[in-house]
Amino acid sequence: MKDNKEHIKLKAIDRQSQAFFAGGTFRWKKSEAEVLAELNRQLDRKAAGRSFRLSRRWVAVAASLLLIVGLGSLLRFYAISVDVSAGTHQLVDLPDGSTVELNAGSSLRYYPYWWSFKRIVTLDGEAFFEVQKGRSFVVRSLQGRTTVLGTSFNILARGSNYRVTCLSGRVGVRSRQRQKVVLMPGSQAVVQPDGKIEVRENIETYPEISWREHVFVFTETPIQEVFEEIERQYKVTIQSTIQAKILYTGNFTKEEDVENILEYVCPAVGLKYSRKSPTLYFITQANE
């Protein structure tokens, strides 16, 4: 009985197979349209899954690129700025062991993470440099550019004044107008307002670096520049109505009181001072 049922079942399957290969169709629990729709839905889900995995892969790549670009920007553009207030000096150690001593009222900026590729600093004010030997070392200022390999030198870059004094090694100086000179020890470059460079050789270098010992030496210096230096070193304000071009030659040390300084600087050039407050002084002609 069981064998007969199996035989009938096989005959039924065989009739469906014959019908299919003859161009007929199977009899499914779902219609043909429903089966095709289900197959399409499954294909769409698989395609969406592949697209999602592909998108995640590209997101990861894009994130990595952004990280690399961001890190590169950090290495290239991250800067350390040192601003020295009036009345103080400061010694700055650079990444390669070079040092910069900043005079009062000066500022320095450099890029520590980029230092291995380029040794570049920006200076506004006055500083004494001792540079370790190595690749080119560049000091940029508004008035000019100084380049060395390994040497010691002093730079004054204030307002329209740009003066470079070489103490050892060789120093290259270039003005904004691209005039260039090379300094040897004991020589000095003074950049004129028109960009021309005056070279002074066999000079006495001590007056240029005496500020490091808190000694300030002036030779035929405009009196307004002398007063500005007193302001920086003593953290005071000096006001004046003096219009005449007055030159001062002399020196003073910071150990002296600011009023003692004014008492012999002013009479030497026919001026006088009056104290308006603990940190404010006013300068007039002696005969006023």
Side-chain angles (χ1 to χ4, degrees), residues 49-221:
R50 285 196 299 272
S51 176
F52 177 73
R53 287 193 295 272
L54 186 61
S55 297
R56 290 184 62 183
R57 187 179 302 116
W58 279 110
V59 168
V61 171
S64 299
L65 290 174
L66 288 174
L67 180 61
I68 292 171
V69 171
L71 183 59
S73 297
L74 174 65
L75 294 176
R76 177 63 184 88
F77 297 109
Y78 174 76
I80 292 178
S81 295
V82 181
D83 299 306
V84 182
S85 61
T88 62
H89 295 177
Q90 184 169 334
L91 184 66
V92 179
D93 294 317
L94 297 175
D96 64 341
S98 299
T99 60
V100 185
E101 186 173 354
L102 293 167
N103 199 351
S106 302
S107 63
L108 184 81
R109 186 177 65 200
Y110 65 96
Y111 304 89
Y113 297 134
W114 201 249
W115 198 258
S116 298
F117 302 98
K118 285 188 177 181
R119 301 193 297 175
I120 297 178
V121 302
T122 301
L123 171 69
D124 181 19
E126 185 169 20
F128 178 80
F129 292 80
E130 289 192 86
V131 177
Q132 295 293 326
K133 291 184 178 180
R135 67 175 67 220
S136 177
F137 184 104
V138 177
V139 183
R140 298 186 298 194
S141 296
L142 181 63
Q143 308 88 335
R145 180 186 182 105
T146 298
T147 304
V148 301
L149 295 177
T151 183
S152 58
F153 56 99
N154 193 84
I155 296 181
L156 173 67
R158 294 192 189 278
S160 61
N161 293 325
Y162 191 73
R163 190 166 68 239
V164 182
T165 306
C166 177
L167 282 83
S168 66
R170 297 200 308 170
V171 178
V173 180
R174 188 183 74 181
S175 69
R176 293 181 62 184
Q177 288 72 20
R178 298 187 178 277
Q179 182 174 348
K180 300 178 182 179
V181 298
V182 176
L183 300 179
M184 304 301 289
S187 61
Q188 182 181 78
V190 180
V191 179
Q192 306 296 334
D194 61 1
K196 294 182 180 179
I197 302 177
E198 175 190 351
V199 177
R200 302 169 181 173
E201 297 180 342
N202 300 317
I203 68 167
E204 175 57 52
T205 59
Y206 178 73
E208 298 298 324
I209 62 172
S210 60
W211 62 267
R212 301 176 64 206
E213 300 175 2
H214 301 285
V215 177
F216 304 92
V217 181
F218 304 94
T219 302
E220 295 187 344
T221 303

Side-chain angles (χ1 to χ4, degrees), residues 250-270:
N251 62 82
F252 62 84
T253 68
K254 195 177 177 182
E255 294 177 355
E256 300 178 70
D257 182 82
V258 63
E259 291 190 10
N260 290 339
I261 301 299
L262 292 174
E263 280 178 2
Y264 65 76
V265 169
C266 290
V269 290

